[in-house]
Amino acid sequence: MNINYYITALVDYAKRTRLISELDEAYCTNRLLELLGLCDFERVDATDAPELAEILGAICDFAYERGLIENNSVVYRDLFDTKVMGIFTARPSEVISTFEALYKTSPEAATDYFYALSCDSNYIRRDRIRRDLKWRVDSEYGEIDITVNLSKPEKDPKAIAAAKLLPQSGYPKCLLCHENEGYEGSVSKPARQNLRQIPFDMAGTPWYLQYSPYVYYNEHCIALSSIHTPMKIDRSSFAKLLGFVTHFPHYFIGSNADLPIVGGSILSHDHMQGGRYTFAMENAPVYKTIAFAGFEDIKAGLVKWPMSVIRLSSTDKERMVELADKILVAWRGYTDADAFVFAETDGEPHNTITPIARRRGELYELDLVLRNNITTEENPLGVFHPHAEHHNIKKENIGLIEVMGLAVLPARLKGEIADMCEAILARRDFAEVESIAKHKQWFLRFADKYNFTEDNVEGIIKTEIGNTFVGVLRDAGVFKDDECGRAHFMKFIDSVNV
């Protein structure tokens, strides 16, 4: 391997993407040589250089051959190539200064710069994001987005074993803490030398903006508290949401609920997720206009969606915060045994809200999705959670992203879709194929509706996966989208007005 070629190619890439300038070239080259244990270097022609992922792959191969990488697996290679890219990523103060200068031009110009930096520095690994399977499915609720997440690497057994041997560390306290910025990482925590965060005021409290490394949708960002404090949905949450879309009017922002089962995967650190994307729920119409006593100035309605959504709209943020808080307090204490909604059982609270904020011109819009995490013997994972007949497709919690109409499905489905297509065309019983035996009853529910061919089989399977996800959203809906469910929904609305 001609390592000089790949070093030159990486330095040229960094200059081309403006990660560094000509003035930084010698310094960054020498930092890279130091990391690779090299004392000599000569620039070569690298005009035909491959994409960044291949350049970094070659550098990792070289590092492994020289004993600089302990194990030639994805976990260890990620730790090393992130350290490499950290050399070419500007210091936080420089990134913040550039962002703030661009923000004076427009919020959009500032986030365009910051998102490009997060991609070009390889914090967002675009080569992996491209592997994700994505498609859309028409439904009575609009076009539903489906993605099979292939960009998040799975740890290999050696890395898992090594992580168990490491002493327990409380630094950083979690993956969302500000202290991850520049962190070296380990086999148990990802490297973050190329992570940058932007500080901003979130309704009077210091928060940071960064992007998700897995980008489930366009410009998928994370707003996180500067303090490691648990998730909590309260009056201040609504003020933060509306404050964010004031600061970044081209982005939406939402929060996972603050209770297990209906919340996100990280409840220990207060954070929200946003971005520049239009989900099906945003386009869903209001099927019934409602009014809240004392808040007739705020437009309100119930949304045509498989989950239970109240939509508020106004130009007055403070009034919206006041009404949203009133609805939240009412919902926290609401019980309707006929709808199997219980505020608490044995002292354990069950009711919460998944809130989403966006702008429509000068108007602020707030969607309040009612959630309940009660469990029973029949539904030990949750009554308002994906039911057992849907677990072959989706068993995990329904968080903010799914609530809005984007299914994030497990990586196993990529191979299982291929195996199902093959079995269908060969007229083979799913029960005979270990990888897809779990899908047999699911397949039989729709098999007779179609005449399968080599040209349409994959499309049909993907459509039915989408239909199943809509069923999952219905499972998660507290008040079902039918006559009975809507009556129960209005019963709650009336209780808010009492």
Side-chain angles (χ1 to χ4, degrees), residues 129-205:
I129 303 300
R130 285 195 290 266
R131 299 176 196 168
D132 289 349
L133 298 183
K134 295 183 179 183
W135 68 93
R136 288 180 173 177
V137 174
D138 286 327
S139 78
E140 66 173 295
Y141 303 102
E143 270 197 330
I144 301 296
D145 289 298
I146 311 292
T147 179
V148 175
N149 176 30
L150 304 171
S151 56
K152 192 172 184 177
E154 295 183 11
K155 287 188 177 181
D156 60 277
K158 288 186 178 179
I160 293 171
K164 289 180 179 177
L165 298 176
L166 288 177
Q168 290 296 310
S169 169
Y171 181 87
K173 290 180 180 177
C174 78
L175 294 176
L176 292 176
C177 283
H178 170 59
E179 289 76 17
N180 283 282
E181 189 176 45
Y183 184 62
E184 180 183 20
S186 67
V187 290
S188 62
K189 294 180 179 178
R192 289 291 185 252
Q193 289 100 327
N194 54 356
L195 166 65
R196 295 296 178 265
Q197 298 174 331
I198 303 295
F200 71 102
D201 181 277
M202 189 75 142
T205 58

Side-chain angles (χ1 to χ4, degrees), residues 234-274:
D234 58 16
R235 183 189 184 98
S236 71
S237 303
F238 305 126
K240 291 183 178 82
L241 289 162
L242 296 174
F244 182 93
V245 295
T246 301
H247 203 67
F248 302 107
H250 57 298
Y251 278 3
F252 80 89
I253 188 80
S255 175
N256 268 305
D258 55 356
L259 294 178
I261 297 177
V262 295
S265 57
I266 300 178
L267 294 176
S268 61
H269 194 120
D270 199 9
H271 69 286
M272 299 176 180
Q273 297 180 76

Side-chain angles (χ1 to χ4, degrees), residues 60-71:
C60 283
D61 290 341
F62 176 84
Y64 176 67
E65 290 168 6
R66 291 177 70 94
L68 300 173
I69 296 179
E70 181 181 334
N71 186 283

Side-chain angles (χ1 to χ4, degrees), residues 44-304:
V44 298
D45 179 29
T47 53
D48 62 343
E51 290 191 355
L52 177 63
E54 191 173 333
I55 295 170
L56 290 173
I59 290 173
C60 283
D61 290 341
F62 176 84
Y64 176 67
E65 290 168 6
R66 291 177 70 94
L68 300 173
I69 296 179
E70 181 181 334
N71 186 283
N72 198 27
S73 68
V74 65
V75 172
Y76 291 90
R77 290 171 72 93
D78 281 2
L79 289 170
F80 191 83
D81 71 15
T82 304
K83 186 180 293 187
V84 168
M85 290 309 298
I87 292 170
F88 298 94
T89 307
R91 290 196 175 211
S93 59
E94 297 173 41
V95 174
I96 293 165
S97 178
T98 302
F99 183 93
E100 290 178 346
L102 287 168
Y103 187 89
K104 292 175 182 176
T105 301
S106 76
E108 205 166 336
T111 57
D112 283 350
Y113 153 75
F114 189 40
Y115 185 68
L117 172 74
S118 300
C119 291
D120 293 338
S121 66
N122 210 41
Y123 170 70
I124 295 171
R125 295 175 181 263
R126 287 173 290 196
D127 61 305
R128 291 183 183 169
I129 303 300
R130 285 195 290 266
R131 299 176 196 168
D132 289 349
L133 298 183
K134 295 183 179 183
W135 68 93
R136 288 180 173 177
V137 174
D138 286 327
S139 78
E140 66 173 295
Y141 303 102
E143 270 197 330
I144 301 296
D145 289 298
I146 311 292
T147 179
V148 175
N149 176 30
L150 304 171
S151 56
K152 192 172 184 177
E154 295 183 11
K155 287 188 177 181
D156 60 277
K158 288 186 178 179
I160 293 171
K164 289 180 179 177
L165 298 176
L166 288 177
Q168 290 296 310
S169 169
Y171 181 87
K173 290 180 180 177
C174 78
L175 294 176
L176 292 176
C177 283
H178 170 59
E179 289 76 17
N180 283 282
E181 189 176 45
Y183 184 62
E184 180 183 20
S186 67
V187 290
S188 62
K189 294 180 179 178
R192 289 291 185 252
Q193 289 100 327
N194 54 356
L195 166 65
R196 295 296 178 265
Q197 298 174 331
I198 303 295
F200 71 102
D201 181 277
M202 189 75 142
T205 58
W207 278 49
Y208 289 94
L209 177 72
Q210 67 174 63
Y211 288 100
S212 166
Y214 307 117
V215 193
Y216 292 133
Y217 50 84
N218 188 46
E219 296 182 41
H220 179 181
C221 67
I222 301 172
L224 54 97
S225 173
S226 63
I227 303 166
H228 182 76
T229 186
M231 294 280 293
K232 187 178 183 182
I233 301 298
D234 58 16
R235 183 189 184 98
S236 71
S237 303
F238 305 126
K240 291 183 178 82
L241 289 162
L242 296 174
F244 182 93
V245 295
T246 301
H247 203 67
F248 302 107
H250 57 298
Y251 278 3
F252 80 89
I253 188 80
S255 175
N256 268 305
D258 55 356
L259 294 178
I261 297 177
V262 295
S265 57
I266 300 178
L267 294 176
S268 61
H269 194 120
D270 199 9
H271 69 286
M272 299 176 180
Q273 297 180 76
R276 195 187 310 200
Y277 191 73
T278 301
F279 291 86
M281 193 171 91
E282 180 177 342
N283 289 329
V286 166
Y287 71 83
K288 184 177 181 63
T289 299
I290 57 175
F292 290 98
F295 294 91
E296 288 80 6
D297 54 316
I298 295 179
K299 187 178 179 181
L302 307 183
V303 179
K304 171 65 177 172

Side-chain angles (χ1 to χ4, degrees), residues 15 20-28:
K15 289 192 295 181
I20 65 171
S21 76
E22 295 279 354
L23 299 175
D24 302 313
E25 180 175 346
Y27 172 82
C28 290

